[in-house]
């Protein structure tokens, strides 16, 4: 029972979900940083798009005003020629600015798509983390239930063997790596695995059935059975 209780305690701190949960949490924190950065960049570029649209509109408006003056045909031939000249240069400028606008818009769309993708990744990761945590909780609940059951069986036994033997058992357990009692099997101590000599064997053979017999080598309590080889 104590071995099982030790195993339960070990299992509790070594659940396979624990490192996976740790990794998922780290991944989630890194993803949150990525999302903040991506949103900031996407916002900056959206403002660039708006600025770019404004630049194009300014040139368009000016070209429209020039065109209207040209269509009205007022002013000297020289003035009209100058207007025509400026219109040609504005058209080139507009074309350049529209290329820039297109480039910035494409960049903005790519960044918006990246934000959407990161949000989806985060959602998926958060769901995976939740699954791992509920698996961990279920495993912990199983271990706790078993621990309670084994613990109550142990308490019954401790109550039945008396305080003195229970105390001796605990003392040996503390100094023997958790194993205080072991089966004497085929003349070997189940704790240290050493074979008993004939003197010890004959002493044990003549001991009363309820006498607490201990290994001379490791001092553990030896449990006699039909297979002890006595
Ligand atoms: Zn021993």
């Amino acid at each position: 029972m104590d071995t099982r209780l030790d195993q339960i305690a070990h299992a509790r701190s070594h659940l396979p979900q624990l490192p996976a949960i740790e990794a998922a949490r780290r991944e989630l924190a890194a993803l949150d940083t990525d999302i903040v950065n991506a949103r900031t960049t996407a916002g900056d570029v959206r403002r660039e798009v708006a600025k770019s649209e404004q630049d194009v509109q300014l040139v368009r408006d000016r070209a429209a005003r020039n065109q209207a003056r040209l269509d009205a045909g007022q002013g000297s031939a020289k003035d009209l020629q100058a207007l025509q000249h400026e219109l040609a240069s504005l058209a080139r400028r507009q074309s350049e600015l529209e290329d820039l606008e297109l480039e910035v818009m494409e960049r903005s769309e790519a960044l918006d798509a990246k934000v959407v993708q990161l949000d989806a990744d985060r959602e998926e990761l958060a769901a995976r983390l939740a699954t791992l945590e509920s698996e961990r909780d279920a495993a912990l609940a199983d271990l706790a239930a078993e621990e309670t059951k084994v613990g109550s069986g142990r308490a019954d036994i401790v109550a039945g063997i008396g305080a003195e033997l229970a105390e001796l058992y605990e003392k040996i357990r503390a100094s023997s790596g958790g194993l205080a009692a072991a089966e004497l099997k085929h003349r070997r101590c189940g704790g240290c695995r050493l074979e008993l000599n004939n003197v010890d064997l004959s002493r044990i053979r003549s001991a009363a059935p309820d006498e607490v017999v201990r290994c001379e080598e490791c001092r553990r309590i030896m449990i006699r059975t039909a297979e002890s080889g006595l």
Side-chain angles (χ1 to χ4, degrees), residues 18 35 42 56 91 111 115 121 146 150-152 165 185 205 212 218:
L18 296 181
I35 287 172
V56 171
L111 286 166
V115 169
D121 289 351
E146 192 187 352
V150 175
S152 105
L165 181 53
K185 196 172 182 183
R205 210 172 283 135
V212 176
C218 69

Side-chain angles (χ1 to χ4, degrees), residues 58-74 79-91 94:
L58 281 174
V59 175
R60 273 195 196 126
D61 291 347
R62 177 149 187 183
R65 276 198 308 275
N66 282 4
Q67 189 63 52
R69 283 166 65 193
L70 199 62
D71 291 346
Q74 288 161 351
D79 287 346
L80 295 176
Q81 205 178 10
L83 274 176
Q84 222 150 18
H85 190 73
E86 198 189 329
L87 268 175
S89 122
L90 283 172
Q94 184 176 332

Side-chain angles (χ1 to χ4, degrees), residues 24-61:
R25 281 186 184 151
R26 272 199 303 272
E27 219 180 306
L28 202 59
L31 203 49
D32 281 341
T33 305
D34 288 350
I35 287 172
V36 169
N37 291 339
R39 281 191 197 287
T40 306
T41 311
D44 291 347
V45 175
R46 257 198 301 275
R47 274 188 292 280
E48 270 187 61
V49 170
K51 171 77 172 55
S52 193
E53 279 167 355
Q54 259 177 4
D55 291 347
V56 171
Q57 196 54 49
L58 281 174
V59 175
R60 273 195 196 126
D61 291 347

Side-chain angles (χ1 to χ4, degrees), residues 92-143:
R92 279 195 302 276
R93 182 72 189 131
Q94 184 176 332
S95 167
E96 282 166 17
L97 287 174
E98 280 171 349
D99 286 349
L100 273 178
E101 183 189 15
L102 196 64
E103 186 261 326
V104 179
M105 277 167 76
E106 278 168 2
R107 212 144 46 88
S108 178
E109 277 167 20
L111 286 166
D112 286 344
K114 189 182 167 191
V115 169
V116 169
Q117 181 60 53
L118 285 172
D119 281 341
D121 289 351
R122 194 197 188 282
E123 206 172 307
E124 195 186 313
L125 186 59
R128 186 147 55 87
L129 180 59
T131 303
L132 283 168
E133 284 174 340
S134 80
E135 281 173 11
R136 173 205 59 194
D137 292 346
L140 285 176
D142 285 351
L143 289 172

